[in-house]
Amino acid sequence: MPVTSRGKLDRKRLPPPPADLGMGEGDFVPCESRTEKVIEAVWQELLGYDDTPISALGDFVALGGNSLLAGRATTRLRLELGLKSLPGTAMYMHPTIQALAVFADSMPKLSKKASGKAPTADDARRAFKGYSSTANATVIAGQAGVALWALSLNQLGGLPTHVVVWAVYQRGGALAAAFLGLPFATLMTMVYLCAIAIIANQLLAPDVPATFVLKIPLWSAKYLSWLSAKHATRFAAKCLATYLAGTPALGTFYGLCGATVGDDAVLDSGVEVEDPKFVTLGAHSRARACARVAPHFVDCGELVLAPVGLGAGARLEPRSSLGAGGVVPDDHKLDGLSSVGGAALESPVDDVLPLKAKTPRARRTALRVSQYLVGVPLLLLLEGCATFAALKACEGLVALVDPATRTYSQIAVVAVAVVWVARVAQCETFFVLTVLAKKVFVGSFEPGPRDPADTADCFRRWLLDRLVHHPFFCGATEPYVNTELLSAKFRMLGAKIGSRVNIDFFDCVEFDLISVGDEVVFGSCVVLHPSDEEEDAMIVVEEGANVLDHSTLLGGVVVEKRAVTGTC
């Protein structure tokens, strides 16, 4: 193949393509209908065939199409043919021009009764694009108000805790502050943040209309109200998830915010649920790590909301996404890394698969009692121990300064150092306690089948999950990204990690099932998920491999030597 001076393919030196592009066996079939000719013109432009005719039986992928070009072609065809709901998977579901034209002709067109023509580029330019974010002083003032609201909620999550702990410390010392003041402040913070979120959703969030699809102009007053309710819900859910992710309590919170939630619906760590009034979570459903439920998207300057549904016993697998209009039926699962719903307002079935066995409908009373009455108090106890260590470290630091001879410069240095020492001592102590809890209470994980009905096994996984996703644990690991210190800390939790491994942090719970060779590079926001409902399986990343940003590796994956991987 001809190449440029840089070693890349030189397209200008390639021979002209044959005249019967896309033909397999049989004669060339010309495009005849208007729809076929429009598709042919779009493909010719995007695939680089200029005016060379393409057979109506030409296959999109065989002609050189890929996922990026499929997205661009879909956008063009939506405009040229007036098919606003043409799905992004159309090029793969109907890969030939003829099949795609038949599918497109069967879809409802945009309303153009007066002219009988499809929308043009001028129509698109004249279409409503929403209020400009800098249109006038009123819009800017509204955005500033929402920003102040979000900042206030952020401070409400931490400032009262510090005030309460300091007040109790002044009266009762470090022991009382750590084991009485901190738990009280934590519970108080959860209660009032949840109350704010519930009230905000009732007063500010829009209701589901009779038509089921709601459109709100961007930056309008109604949009800013929706955004304010979204911030309140997010901060409250984040606070609750620290202690209660993986239990029905988080689903109950969303139910109070307006969602329809069945019994024993469970949301795991990192799960995002937005617009609760548009969400239905069936009984015994489960959203696993980092799944997302988002019943909205933005289109032509408008926020579009449509209901979503997760059926009874249904599951969202890791990093799957349930978008606007999406539905996962009873006892089905949305496969990992997949999505349904969204801008097309439809729910394709390709990635929605039936479960091998129906989800049991029995209440897991023993597990819930263990989580609420043992797990949560244990988390608060470990928090208290870490805070007690931080307070004693600060006392030792302050004692270094003689009150009789201290100067303003000494006071300033100590004031700055106290903040740093308190945070480091608190987080590092919590990390050490997590390692001890892993060895004493949780134990190790081995590859092989697992019983999802085993209460003790489910509880130990849940407890470790809560520990490694606690803000104190993150404070003890995230500062050490891209260093050998982070590798050493993960080894303490059971991971098998070689030397000179560059880790830009990865999210994992069952560290015993991770094996990483020498000189491996991890990008940011990587998720390693070696366990599912049926078995634990090793994740192996061999020497010199590169795991790119936002990758998700599931159990049983092997990344071979010097391989570069996205998501598996």
Side-chain angles (χ1 to χ4, degrees):
M1 301 292 284
V3 295
T4 65
S5 58
R6 296 185 178 182
K8 296 185 178 181
L9 179 66
D10 189 347
R11 295 180 179 272
K12 295 181 180 180
R13 293 168 56 193
L14 289 173
D20 61 342
L21 287 170
M23 291 298 296
E25 298 180 356
D27 298 329
F28 178 86
V29 179
C31 298
E32 297 180 349
S33 69
R34 175 186 175 276
T35 303
E36 288 180 350
K37 291 179 179 178
V38 169
I39 297 172
E40 180 187 27
V42 171
W43 285 18
Q44 284 173 333
E45 179 181 345
L46 294 180
L47 300 178
Y49 294 134
D50 300 325
D51 296 328
T52 304
I54 300 177
S55 170
L57 300 180
D59 183 278
F60 180 75
V61 175
L63 291 168
N66 54 40
S67 58
L68 179 61
L69 293 175
R72 294 173 61 186
T74 301
T75 301
R76 287 285 305 278
L77 292 176
R78 286 172 180 168
L79 181 63
E80 297 290 340
L81 298 176
L83 299 174
K84 187 175 181 180
S85 59
L86 182 68
T89 56
M91 303 297 158
Y92 297 102
M93 297 169 62
H94 311 281
T96 67
I97 292 179
Q98 190 177 79
L100 183 59
V102 172
F103 175 70
D105 288 338
S106 69
M107 298 184 67
K109 306 292 191 298
L110 292 176
S111 178
K112 295 290 290 183
K113 294 181 180 179
S115 63
K117 298 178 181 178
T120 64
D122 290 337
D123 294 327
R125 283 192 290 271
R126 288 193 296 266
F128 176 70
K129 300 297 182 184
Y131 300 109
S132 170
S133 60
T134 58
N136 52 53
T138 303
V139 174
I140 294 174
Q143 294 179 68
V146 173
L148 289 174
W149 167 250
L151 290 172
S152 300
L153 290 171
N154 188 39
Q155 294 302 315
L156 283 173
L159 184 60
T161 300
H162 292 91
V163 171
V164 170
V165 170
W166 174 251
V168 176
Y169 174 79
Q170 289 290 86
R171 290 166 175 77
L175 196 64
F179 296 102
L180 294 178
L182 181 62
F184 172 77
T186 299
L187 295 175
M188 180 184 70
T189 301
M190 284 195 290
V191 169
Y192 69 67
L193 283 179
C194 288
I196 291 172
I198 293 168
I199 294 171
N201 275 281
Q202 295 301 323
L203 298 181
L204 301 177
D207 295 318
V208 180
T211 56
F212 294 103
V213 178
L214 177 65
K215 296 184 178 181
I216 301 174
L218 292 182
W219 310 115
S220 64
K222 196 170 183 180
Y223 173 84
L224 295 176
S225 295
W226 166 84
L227 190 59
S228 299
K230 177 183 176 182
H231 284 312
T233 306
R234 180 167 59 89
F235 281 110
K238 183 179 179 180
C239 181
L240 275 178
T242 300
Y243 308 92
L244 298 171
T247 75
L250 207 52
T252 300
F253 161 71
Y254 286 114
L256 294 174
C257 289
T260 302
V261 182
D263 293 338
D264 215 43
V266 174
L267 305 175
D268 288 350
S269 296
V271 173
E272 298 179 32
V273 177
E274 302 178 358
D275 310 312
K277 290 185 177 180
F278 288 76
V279 174
T280 298
L281 302 176
H284 304 282
S285 59
R286 182 179 182 185
R288 302 186 69 198
C290 302
R292 187 165 184 256
V293 180
H296 69 268
F297 62 91
V298 175
D299 181 48
C300 292
E302 293 179 315
L303 177 74
V304 182
L305 298 104
V308 302
L310 186 62
R315 286 210 311 261
L316 297 181
E317 295 297 321
R319 271 196 173 161
S320 58
S321 179
L322 184 59
V327 175
V328 180
D330 295 354
D331 295 304
H332 281 63
K333 68 176 181 178
L334 176 58
D335 214 1
L337 319 170
S338 304
S339 62
V340 295
L345 286 179
E346 61 180 24
S347 186
V349 299
D350 295 11
D351 299 316
V352 178
L353 307 172
L355 295 173
K356 293 181 180 179
K358 284 192 174 183
T359 302
R361 301 298 197 264
R363 287 179 176 271
R364 308 202 60 180
T365 306
L367 176 60
R368 304 309 173 209
V369 169
S370 300
Q371 291 170 326
Y372 297 140
L373 299 185
V374 179
V376 174
L378 181 58
L379 286 171
L380 294 173
L381 176 64
L382 296 181
E383 275 188 359
C385 293
T387 303
F388 178 75
L391 291 173
K392 298 306 289 185
C394 291
E395 286 179 354
L397 183 63
V398 172
L400 296 176
V401 180
D402 187 353
T405 60
R406 63 189 178 189
T407 63
Y408 286 112
S409 60
Q410 289 176 328
I411 294 174
V413 170
V414 170
V416 173
V418 160
V419 176
W420 185 82
V421 168
R423 182 63 176 172
V424 171
Q426 189 179 45
C427 293
E428 294 300 334
T429 302
F430 189 86
F431 177 83
V432 171
L433 294 172
T434 298
V435 173
L436 292 176
K438 166 76 166 56
K439 296 184 180 301
V440 175
F441 299 110
V442 177
S444 60
F445 299 94
E446 299 292 339
R450 55 170 297 218
D451 181 8
D454 186 338
T455 298
D457 181 62
C458 291
F459 175 73
R460 71 182 184 124
R461 292 171 189 270
W462 173 84
L463 178 61
L464 184 59
D465 182 76
R466 299 280 37 81
L467 290 171
V468 300
H469 288 102
H470 194 283
F472 291 174
F473 181 91
C474 296
T477 51
E478 290 181 354
Y480 305 107
V481 298
N482 302 324
T483 70
E484 282 290 322
L485 287 174
L486 185 58
S487 297
K489 288 193 169 189
F490 285 164
R491 290 188 196 106
M492 295 180 190
L493 292 166
K496 304 171 188 65
I497 300 178
S499 59
R500 300 179 299 281
V501 174
N502 187 353
I503 303 177
D504 198 359
F505 201 77
F506 58 70
D507 185 346
C508 183
V509 177
E510 297 90 351
F511 287 90
D512 302 283
L513 301 175
I514 305 301
S515 178
V516 179
D518 297 339
E519 299 179 339
V520 171
V521 177
F522 286 92
S524 61
C525 303
V526 172
V527 174
L528 306 182
H529 205 281
S531 299
D532 59 22
E533 296 287 338
E534 299 174 352
E535 69 172 338
D536 295 327
M538 292 292 297
I539 293 177
V540 179
V541 184
E542 296 182 348
E543 178 183 352
N546 190 337
V547 182
L548 299 179
D549 297 345
H550 298 275
S551 294
T552 298
L553 306 184
L554 303 179
V557 167
V558 176
V559 183
E560 298 182 347
K561 290 183 179 181
R562 299 178 183 82
V564 178
T565 182
T567 293
C568 300

